[in-house]
Amino acid sequence: EVKRVREGNVLNAKAKGKTREGAEEKLTSGDLLSNRRMFYLLKSAFPAVQINSEERVDTADQETVSWDHSIPEDIKQKIQPKEVPAESITVWIDPLDATQEYTEDLRQYVTTMVCVAVNGKPVIGVIHKPFSAYTAWAMVDGGSNVKARSSYNEKTPRIIVSRSHAGKVEQFARQTFGNKTVIIPAGGAGYKVLALLDVAEKNQEEADVYIHVTYIKKWDICAGNAVLRALGGHMTTLTGEEISYTGSDGNEGGLIASINMNHKALIDKLPDLEKTSHK
């Protein structure tokens, strides 16, 4: 749906409100149609499971999307299934991540994401790039189709941040890591997590650390958090607290994500960033 709407240029983009920082949030037909398809497929397959989605679900617009519960053989060979009570599960879906970039036709940043959390901990993450059909998935203690990159330079890290936050983060980053630090402005939380991984994508930049310095919604970050956890990485608030995927849909403390790096040492270097994360 995301791809079809964009390629047909029938976005019907409109404002759905403003962020806490005052930026206008966009809503398109791609968001709504993708949301309808993803939400009702999951709801019909697992009716007892709580599903939290970025977009409002209109019951009058219900769609029957069926799944026969068969899992592709290549995935079956990698996963280690677990059974947990339905009431312990929360599914977070982001039907279109990087809507602003989507409206600007910056397709490389756009992803769709699904995350399964069990008792608030992110366990399964799926990040899909609709325009290249690339999908990264991982399950904590249960397999994955992606891995971490092997080479990092902690002395001059490449830090990936939101396009709108680049100036704010650059000052802190250069004070913290030195003047050789590279700041990579990018769109979409899904894209930024993929930048930390070994991804066979020609339009995917590489980074060592992902930093977000303001409030962010949990459907934006749950899938990436699960993938990083499954691969031995970390995504925490800027003060090092684990993010719980129950309760409210927002994360107040900003975030820092890394893999194959000393995550605690990174956090210790960022005492001033947290002060801005609640604004």
Side-chain angles (χ1 to χ4, degrees), residues 16-223:
K16 70 173 182 179
K18 289 188 181 294
T19 66
R20 290 189 181 185
E21 298 164 285
E24 189 176 86
E25 280 194 287
K26 297 281 181 67
L27 178 67
T28 71
S29 295
D31 295 87
L32 295 173
L33 293 170
S34 174
N35 183 70
R36 184 175 70 178
R37 186 66 60 95
M38 290 170 71
F39 179 86
Y40 284 115
L41 185 148
L42 286 163
K43 201 64 184 172
S44 61
F46 305 103
V49 168
Q50 179 180 334
I51 301 169
N52 295 338
S53 174
E54 177 169 11
E55 306 306 338
R56 188 174 63 84
V57 178
D58 188 347
T59 53
D61 199 26
Q62 184 168 343
E63 180 174 359
T64 302
V65 188
S66 61
W67 174 49
D68 61 7
H69 288 248
S70 65
I71 299 172
E73 283 301 320
D74 61 323
I75 295 179
K76 260 187 183 175
Q77 291 169 13
K78 293 181 179 179
I79 61 172
Q80 298 172 32
K82 294 179 176 61
E83 194 163 295
V84 296
E87 58 270 20
S88 70
I89 295 174
T90 309
V91 178
W92 297 83
I93 63 175
D94 191 342
L96 200 169
D97 188 41
T99 299
Q100 178 62 45
E101 287 73 19
Y102 183 67
T103 64
E104 297 173 29
D105 211 12
L106 299 172
R107 303 183 184 195
Q108 71 271 25
Y109 297 127
V110 176
T111 63
T112 63
M113 294 185 283
V114 179
C115 177
V116 178
V118 179
N119 296 320
K121 295 184 181 297
V123 172
I124 300 172
V126 183
I127 304 174
H128 176 68
K129 297 182 84 170
F131 295 105
S132 64
Y134 173 81
T135 304
W137 65 265
M139 177 178 177
V140 175
D141 298 325
S144 71
N145 74 335
V146 68
K147 58 185 179 180
R149 289 190 296 110
S150 56
S151 59
Y152 295 87
N153 188 339
E154 292 198 39
K155 292 182 179 178
T156 56
R158 296 167 60 84
I159 299 178
I160 195 161
V161 301
S162 295
R163 294 163 72 208
S164 58
H165 295 168
K168 182 186 294 186
V169 175
E170 184 171 8
Q171 179 184 355
F172 286 104
R174 297 201 187 283
Q175 288 174 355
T176 303
F177 299 109
N179 289 329
K180 293 183 179 179
T181 302
V182 177
I183 303 296
I184 305 170
Y191 179 90
K192 296 184 190 84
V193 168
L194 291 178
L196 306 181
L197 308 176
D198 185 5
V199 174
E201 277 281 280
K202 61 182 180 181
N203 287 328
Q204 179 66 57
E205 295 164 285
E206 293 183 351
D208 303 312
V209 183
Y210 164 26
I211 293 176
H212 187 87
V213 295
T214 58
Y215 175 86
I216 192 167
K217 292 296 183 69
K218 291 178 181 176
W219 41 66
D220 288 318
I221 59 175
C222 187

